[in-house]
Amino acid sequence: MADYKNPKNLSLVIESDKIPDYAVSDVGNKAYNLAKLQAAGVPVPDFFSISTDAYLHFMNVYNLLGPIGCIPKIGNGYILSLIHISEPTRP
């Protein structure tokens, strides 16, 4: 993963035929698995992936990493902890 605070080093959009060159954590599970299906000859619609670096850069630029930072990371995916997120809004 590149330094998401420096957009010059980021891969922002990754075409479907290039996705197998990346780690799952760089392109996401859905894009990675679609690329595997496509490589195996299964017909899938045209697609691309917005890289994890692009997502993190966007979140950093718009100061959203803090508010959404309460989403814990588990493996290669994320889960939403509704109890934790809703605590600040409870009376």
Side-chain angles (χ1 to χ4, degrees):
M1 190 177 298
D3 176 9
Y4 66 84
K5 294 182 181 181
N6 184 354
K8 293 179 182 177
N9 296 330
L10 299 181
S11 295
L12 302 179
V13 177
I14 304 166
E15 299 295 328
S16 62
D17 62 329
K18 303 290 185 213
I19 288 174
D21 299 336
Y22 290 82
V24 175
S25 60
D26 292 332
V27 296
N29 287 319
K30 182 177 182 179
Y32 190 80
N33 286 320
L34 281 172
K36 284 174 55 176
L37 288 170
Q38 189 177 54
V42 176
V44 296
D46 291 336
F47 68 98
F48 60 91
S49 176
I50 302 297
S51 70
T52 302
D53 289 333
Y55 167 78
L56 290 173
H57 178 69
F58 175 86
M59 299 296 284
N60 184 55
V61 166
Y62 292 98
N63 296 315
L64 296 172
L65 287 174
I68 300 180
C70 59
I71 302 172
K73 183 174 181 178
I74 297 183
N76 288 328
Y78 295 88
I79 64 165
L80 188 59
S81 173
L82 295 175
I83 294 171
H84 181 73
I85 290 171
S86 65
E87 284 176 358
T89 61
R90 291 184 184 166

